[in-house]
Amino acid sequence: KQEVTQIPAALSVPEGENLVLNCSFTDSAIYNLQWFRQDPGKGLTSLLLIQSSQREQTSGRLNASLDKSSGRSTLYIAASQPGDSATYLCAVKVGKNSGGSNYKLTFGKGTLLTVNP
Amino acid sequence: GAVVSQHPSRVICKSGTSVKIECRSLDFQATTMFWYRQFPKQSLMLMATSNEGSKATYEQGVEKDKFLINHASLTLSTLTVTSAHPEDSSFYICARDSPTDTQYFGPGTRLTVL
């Protein structure tokens, strides 16, 4: 059974700092890995998607890496801003779900990031 | 802009009543949509996969008679929580796929059962 763990559970940093969020997964047989952002009481916004054949993806101040063999991914946020404060979730796309359909996303519990002005 | 909408955003109901949540794909005809549930400080858990024109497929431990899913068109999937109880209080989120593999999520529905 695929399990996704995110460390740390919460992180508080001063504005301007660079930071790294970690995600690990137990089964390396994944199709892809996605990083999402969730604001309180809201849905999820996709930040970056890394296919299993890729090593990293970048979007603006965000960079995500994937080491599939070791079951790890990191999300690097450069020059953090108060507006980056949110919960960051990683999810891996794995094989068939238990209903027999195509696949499922398995999520970690997230890292609650607070960027202080 | 949003590509997946949900209605209502919040609902409070009495124990024993049924609640219907709508999920719409605004820009894409989705043959498959996904329903998740999120408890406070917990991961999102996939409840079921909604398939247009056929029966939904449910994850282990999810009661299909309690959580009725109807995917009547390529842009609309509904989740009905039947005979809701306080333990069903949660945040329900739907999602759809895209050709780029990115999964797009709705804004969620906060259900509170008194």
Side-chain angles (χ1 to χ4, degrees):
Chain A
K1 178 186 174 185
Q2 178 73 265
E3 292 183 2
V4 179
T5 302
Q6 290 187 245
I7 294 173
L11 180 63
S12 181
V13 300
E15 182 177 3
E17 193 162 296
N18 302 326
L19 57 99
V20 175
L21 307 181
N22 297 290
C23 173
S24 62
F25 46 96
T26 55
D27 187 346
S28 62
I30 66 170
Y31 291 107
N32 60 46
L33 182 145
Q34 273 189 261
W35 282 93
F36 295 89
R37 168 186 173 136
Q38 185 176 29
D39 292 290
K42 305 292 185 184
L44 277 65
T45 300
S46 179
L47 298 173
L48 289 165
L49 180 146
I50 311 177
Q51 299 291 356
S52 62
S53 58
Q54 297 174 324
R55 298 283 293 183
E56 66 176 342
Q57 284 287 335
T58 298
S59 175
R61 294 182 293 109
L62 305 180
N63 175 277
S65 68
L66 174 64
D67 184 341
K68 199 175 80 161
S69 61
S70 69
R72 296 179 188 276
S73 176
T74 61
L75 178 67
Y76 175 82
I77 302 177
S80 58
Q81 303 171 357
D84 295 330
S85 298
T87 296
Y88 290 80
L89 298 160
C90 80
V92 294
K93 179 178 175 179
V94 297
K96 290 188 176 184
N97 64 25
S98 62
S101 294
N102 298 331
Y103 63 87
K104 67 184 289 184
L105 289 186
T106 300
F107 283 83
K109 291 184 178 181
T111 294
L112 175 61
L113 173 65
T114 303
V115 181
N116 302 299
Chain B
V3 298
V4 179
S5 69
Q6 277 185 246
H7 178 80
S9 58
R10 291 180 177 271
V11 57
I12 301 173
C13 69
K14 293 182 179 179
S15 186
T17 61
S18 294
V19 174
K20 179 186 284 188
I21 303 170
E22 293 186 348
C23 175
R24 294 185 184 273
S25 176
L26 301 178
D27 65 339
F28 187 76
Q29 291 186 328
T31 56
T32 301
M33 298 180 82
F34 305 91
W35 286 97
Y36 293 84
R37 180 167 55 182
Q38 185 181 33
F39 291 107
K41 299 186 186 298
Q42 298 297 316
S43 303
L44 271 75
M45 297 296 294
L46 179 66
M47 299 175 65
T49 302
S50 168
N51 304 297
E52 189 270 336
S54 65
K55 291 181 180 180
T57 51
Y58 290 80
E59 292 299 293
Q60 285 182 353
V62 178
E63 300 174 57
K64 61 183 179 181
D65 293 331
K66 180 170 183 62
F67 299 99
L68 301 179
I69 291 174
N70 185 5
H71 196 145
S73 75
L74 289 172
T75 58
L76 175 64
S77 176
T78 61
L79 168 68
T80 301
V81 183
T82 63
S83 186
H85 291 283
E87 58 265 31
D88 298 322
S89 297
S90 188
F91 193 54
Y92 293 86
I93 313 177
C94 68
R96 68 149 178 87
D97 267 338
S98 73
T100 60
D101 269 347
T102 299
Q103 197 158 97
Y104 291 100
F105 284 77
T109 297
R110 172 73 59 192
L111 171 64
T112 303
V113 185
L114 302 176

